[in-house]
Amino acid sequence: MNLDVLIPSLLLPAPIHAMFPPPTVPALERLLARADRRLERAQAVLPWLCERWGIASPYPFAPLLAEYDRLETSGSGWMFAEPVHLIAHRDRFEMLPARHLELSTGEASDLVTLLNSHFADRQLQFFAPTPDRWYVGCSASEIPETTPPYAAHGGSLTDFLPISSGAMNWRALQNEAQMLFFGHAVNEAREAVGKPAVSGVWFWGGGVYPALKQPSYSCVIANPAGDLLIGQLAAQLAAKCGIEVRDLSWDSIPSGRGDVLAVIDSCADFAARADIPGWARELDRLDREWFEPMARALANGILKRVSIQIPGGGSVSSRSFHLTRHDQLLRFWRAANPLSSHA
């Protein structure tokens, strides 16, 4: 059996490792020392998943996840209309995405009802199947060019606003949403108890439901309950192609032949919240619960090959480590280096 492990934020940028050295993770360090290492083009985790299913850029994340959330996606265009909080600085705005807002179901419902009332004359319909995951349905011909929140950093947010491709001015629509939400009762109540206001929505991830290519995986192991859309997207892509989806644990790995994909998003969750101590504790747990049994399975011949995929993004290259049973047994002479040496 062959195992691909997709694990974003297993490595953090080198300057962070310099300030906060990662913990000693002996099983992982030995695996990486004996593996063949490759630097690859920068690619974030959601595009990585899409491309394994034959989906090319611009990646239609919204219709894929809308179907996961049981919305009817056929024959129309979809985008995320992500609720965000904007923080004004002297020369730029900083954006907090939905996962930081801790919206309630009632708050989301009230604000989406307001959007639907205001934009009804423009044939836009908004949905909030979960408090922090909002969508807008529109004509496929009106889908603009957008930037995901995870990529909209390093400059002024005006550099990342939607670029319209049809008659609809999506930048103006985002501005209208901000004005609608300003002073709304939901935001007044949130600010009264010290919660960030919902400043507006951020459109991204648009498209129509794509055709999928059947990958080689016989099983996908993921956590659809995570906050970063990673587990949900992996589960949706797998289920759409008839691939078995199992809970995220080492015990879920099936025995036998075939290719298995394990999507571990817990490190990325801590990294997204800038919780470096939590990230370090999670690495320690993964070393015991994933990488130690992985090394044993390679040595025992249960696994023939392991590929550890660490997506990058922006200017950070992606990294991959490829290891066979032969490598695990015969490269024992390679010294294990600290995890930070691979960043």
Side-chain angles (χ1 to χ4, degrees):
M1 185 175 65
N2 301 318
L3 176 64
D4 287 349
V5 182
L6 177 64
I7 181 164
S9 299
L10 178 67
L11 300 172
L12 299 181
I16 296 179
H17 282 306
M19 291 186 293
F20 305 98
T24 300
V25 280
L28 174 59
E29 289 166 0
R30 286 194 301 272
L31 287 170
L32 298 186
R34 298 175 188 182
D36 292 322
R37 177 186 180 186
R38 300 176 191 167
L39 284 178
E40 301 172 350
R41 64 185 174 92
Q43 186 180 46
V45 59
L46 298 183
W48 189 99
L49 282 168
C50 280
E51 293 195 2
R52 293 312 177 277
W53 270 261
I55 304 169
S57 177
Y59 307 102
F61 302 125
L64 286 164
L65 271 299
E67 182 169 280
Y68 176 84
D69 284 324
R70 296 180 172 82
L71 298 176
E72 177 53 57
T73 61
S74 60
S76 59
W78 288 86
M79 280 195 298
F80 290 118
E82 180 163 350
V84 296
H85 174 71
L86 300 177
I87 303 171
H89 298 284
R90 186 176 62 180
D91 56 350
R92 62 185 178 89
F93 281 94
E94 178 185 354
M95 178 171 59
L96 291 181
R99 66 179 178 273
H100 295 286
L101 304 186
E102 298 182 351
L103 282 164
S104 69
T105 300
E107 290 171 331
S109 177
D110 287 349
L111 293 174
V112 165
T113 297
L114 177 64
L115 290 171
N116 280 324
S117 175
H118 180 80
F119 291 113
D121 61 337
R122 278 162 279 189
Q123 289 74 55
L124 297 178
Q125 190 169 9
F126 292 80
F127 301 86
T130 71
D132 60 354
R133 197 154 59 244
W134 300 4
Y135 301 88
V136 58
C138 63
S139 169
S141 63
E142 291 288 352
I143 297 294
E145 179 184 335
T146 60
T147 302
Y150 61 76
H153 59 80
S156 170
L157 283 184
T158 57
D159 297 334
F160 304 107
L161 291 174
I163 300 174
S164 297
S165 59
M168 200 166 288
N169 185 336
W170 289 95
R171 294 190 178 201
L173 294 179
Q174 282 197 180
N175 289 334
E176 286 185 51
Q178 289 180 36
M179 290 185 285
L180 277 177
F181 289 175
F182 182 77
H184 189 274
V186 165
N187 279 329
E188 290 181 347
R190 290 178 61 83
E191 291 174 327
V193 295
K195 293 182 178 179
V198 183
S199 305
V201 296
W202 188 264
F203 297 120
W204 70 282
V208 297
Y209 205 96
L212 304 181
K213 180 181 74 175
Q214 186 79 26
S216 63
Y217 300 119
S218 59
C219 179
V220 169
I221 300 170
N223 173 31
D227 291 336
L228 300 179
L229 305 183
I230 300 168
Q232 295 97 321
L233 181 60
Q236 170 64 16
L237 290 168
K240 196 68 176 178
C241 290
I243 298 170
E244 181 184 11
V245 180
R246 294 190 178 187
D247 292 336
L248 184 60
S249 74
W250 178 261
D251 292 338
S252 293
I253 292 184
S255 59
R257 300 178 180 178
D259 295 341
V260 174
L261 172 64
V263 181
I264 303 175
D265 59 355
S266 51
C267 286
D269 185 45
F270 285 107
R273 291 185 274 121
D275 183 356
I276 305 304
W279 171 84
R281 290 192 298 272
E282 181 61 12
L283 273 184
D284 182 68
R285 183 189 73 83
L286 291 174
D287 199 56
R288 289 180 281 104
E289 298 182 11
W290 275 89
F291 296 115
E292 284 184 8
M294 191 182 301
R296 288 196 298 269
L298 271 170
N300 295 335
I302 297 171
L303 292 176
K304 293 182 178 179
R305 175 189 58 78
V306 167
S307 176
I308 299 173
Q309 303 282 342
I310 309 172
S315 60
V316 178
S317 297
S318 298
R319 288 164 169 77
S320 62
F321 296 83
H322 305 270
L323 184 68
T324 66
R325 181 171 185 263
H326 179 274
D327 300 330
Q328 169 74 348
L329 293 175
L330 298 185
R331 291 178 175 176
F332 60 88
W333 50 270
R334 287 191 178 182
N337 295 314
L339 189 62
S340 57
S341 67
H342 300 286

